[in-house]
Amino acid sequence: MAPESLAATVAATSGVLFDFDGPVCDVFAGHPAPGVAREMAAILAQIDATTGGRALDTDDPMEVLRLAPRVGEDAVRRIEEALTAAEVSAVKDAGIPVTGAVDSLRAAHGSGRRVAIVSNNSAACVREFLALHGLDRFVHQVIGRSPNRPDLMKPSPFSLERAAKKLGVRASTCTLIGDSTTDIEAAARAGSMAIGFANRPGKEASLVAAGARTIVTSMVAVADALLMPPVAR
């Protein structure tokens, strides 16, 4: 499907869903993700050396969490607890919100649309960051990952469907703004629209291939588009 205009996508949107790490916050800016991933892998290796060794091959803490179910429920709980603590600590040192994020959240809320953060990060870390920067007043719902259920993280549609239900809008009128293919795939599975945030060169093609309705390279563009009133549906 060829991308359509940002204005057309936003005009059809009544529920604005923001992914967190990327469109709003660079979560591990102060605590680089590879180091956090190694810490998680070390915990996993204490329980199962083979799976822990595989976890050392990734720089993504989320991927370590996805590996944990292979070891068992105790491993999942331990990695979940450690990752949540690491995320909460990291967002305190993550710096200011992504350029354009504050204006986007304010514009989405001010336009009368329903607003949620829908993240594979923990709800605790999202709420910590929003409160730290005074952004919680613009967000109606925070949907973080379901504790101890990495199988329900995006690209599963679970968090988007939950967000739509809590916001009181149809999933088909929700638009997720995300910077990864898993975000876009989750939106497609939920029957929602998606705006791909290509925050690094070379991401546009993969986001479009995953099903993004349109692509932006700055959250400032999202803020500008959100100032237009939603279409009643």
Side-chain angles (χ1 to χ4, degrees), residues 137-179:
R137 65 187 186 276
F138 301 130
V139 177
H140 299 108
Q141 295 288 336
V142 171
I143 309 297
R145 66 172 175 269
S146 296
N148 305 317
R149 290 295 305 273
D151 58 305
L152 296 180
M153 294 194 300
K154 294 174 284 184
S156 165
F158 178 80
S159 58
L160 282 82
E161 292 167 348
R162 186 179 173 205
K165 183 176 181 179
K166 284 185 170 290
L167 292 176
V169 295
R170 295 194 304 275
S172 61
T173 67
C174 289
T175 296
L176 176 68
I177 302 154
D179 68 323

Side-chain angles (χ1 to χ4, degrees), residues 171-194:
S172 61
T173 67
C174 289
T175 296
L176 176 68
I177 302 154
D179 68 323
S180 70
T181 56
T182 54
D183 293 321
I184 309 305
E185 290 165 6
R189 293 180 186 182
S192 300
M193 298 171 284

Side-chain angles (χ1 to χ4, degrees), residues 56-78:
L56 285 170
D57 292 333
T58 180
D59 289 338
D60 185 352
M62 296 297 175
E63 291 307 311
V64 180
L65 179 59
R66 292 184 195 275
L67 285 170
R70 300 185 182 189
V71 180
E73 292 181 2
D74 181 61
V76 174
R77 285 192 296 268
R78 289 180 61 181

Side-chain angles (χ1 to χ4, degrees), residues 75-158:
V76 174
R77 285 192 296 268
R78 289 180 61 181
I79 297 299
E80 176 69 48
E81 181 179 347
L83 180 54
T84 298
E87 290 170 333
V88 171
S89 177
V91 295
K92 294 176 182 177
D93 296 323
I96 63 174
V98 170
T99 301
V102 174
D103 288 340
S104 294
L105 289 166
R106 182 185 291 113
H109 186 274
S111 71
R113 295 174 171 91
R114 302 291 289 168
V115 183
I117 303 290
V118 181
S119 179
N120 280 350
N121 295 113
S122 63
C125 92
V126 174
R127 290 192 177 101
E128 179 75 26
F129 186 82
L130 294 179
L132 185 64
H133 296 278
L135 301 177
D136 41 358
R137 65 187 186 276
F138 301 130
V139 177
H140 299 108
Q141 295 288 336
V142 171
I143 309 297
R145 66 172 175 269
S146 296
N148 305 317
R149 290 295 305 273
D151 58 305
L152 296 180
M153 294 194 300
K154 294 174 284 184
S156 165
F158 178 80

Side-chain angles (χ1 to χ4, degrees), residues 34-59:
V36 175
R38 286 193 297 272
E39 293 172 5
M40 302 301 106
I43 294 171
L44 201 55
Q46 292 173 1
I47 308 170
D48 183 86
T50 300
T51 307
R54 293 190 62 179
L56 285 170
D57 292 333
T58 180
D59 289 338

